[in-house]
Amino acid sequence: VQLQASGGGLVQAGGSLSLSCAASGGTFNSGVMGWFRQAPGKEREFVAAIRWTYTSYADSVKGRFTISRDNAKNTVYLQMNSLKPEDTAVYYCAARTGTGVAVKPGSYNYWGQGTQVTVSS
């Protein structure tokens, strides 16, 4: 199973970016897909996750980020609005075959390669 993330880039504070993560070699339609991020010198942290229509967000991104998925395309998206400099990080998509929406990185079985998001002030 491979996860391919894309869509990162450089944006000014207050701007928007959309990330995509396509899964191949397997399907996670009934599983959980999520986004994590890791800033330099910091641990990888939970951003958002989705299972079917149930979603979960970190407090730091609630109201600004939206996670969604297209099961037909085996793809999960992260729409990021009102971006802040503190959102700057490498963003990783992840998938787990378990049914619970988990916030710990260790709970996820598969990881994408990461995409850089940089928000300038």
Side-chain angles (χ1 to χ4, degrees):
V1 174
Q2 291 187 331
L3 302 178
Q4 181 70 41
S6 61
L10 172 64
V11 65
Q12 289 187 332
S16 298
L17 280 175
S18 181
L19 306 182
S20 299
C21 177
S24 60
T27 180
F28 297 97
N29 290 348
S30 61
V32 180
M33 296 190 76
W35 289 96
F36 288 76
R37 66 187 181 187
Q38 188 166 16
K42 295 188 177 181
E43 294 186 351
R44 192 168 298 189
E45 65 174 5
F46 172 77
V47 175
I50 185 169
R51 179 175 185 258
W52 295 115
T53 58
Y54 177 81
T55 58
S56 179
Y57 297 93
D59 288 343
S60 59
V61 306
K62 279 181 183 177
R64 301 188 298 121
F65 291 11
T66 302
I67 189 171
S68 60
R69 67 192 298 170
D70 184 335
N71 286 340
K73 296 181 178 179
N74 222 14
T75 299
V76 65
Y77 306 94
L78 185 68
Q79 177 64 41
M80 304 183 293
N81 299 328
S82 301
L83 282 161
K84 304 175 181 180
E86 50 264 44
D87 294 318
T88 295
V90 176
Y91 282 70
Y92 297 89
C93 64
R96 67 186 300 261
T97 52
T99 57
V101 173
V103 300
K104 293 183 178 180
S107 299
Y108 287 76
N109 310 99
Y110 306 98
W111 290 87
Q113 83 287 5
T115 184
Q116 177 70 47
V117 170
T118 303
V119 184
S120 63
S121 57

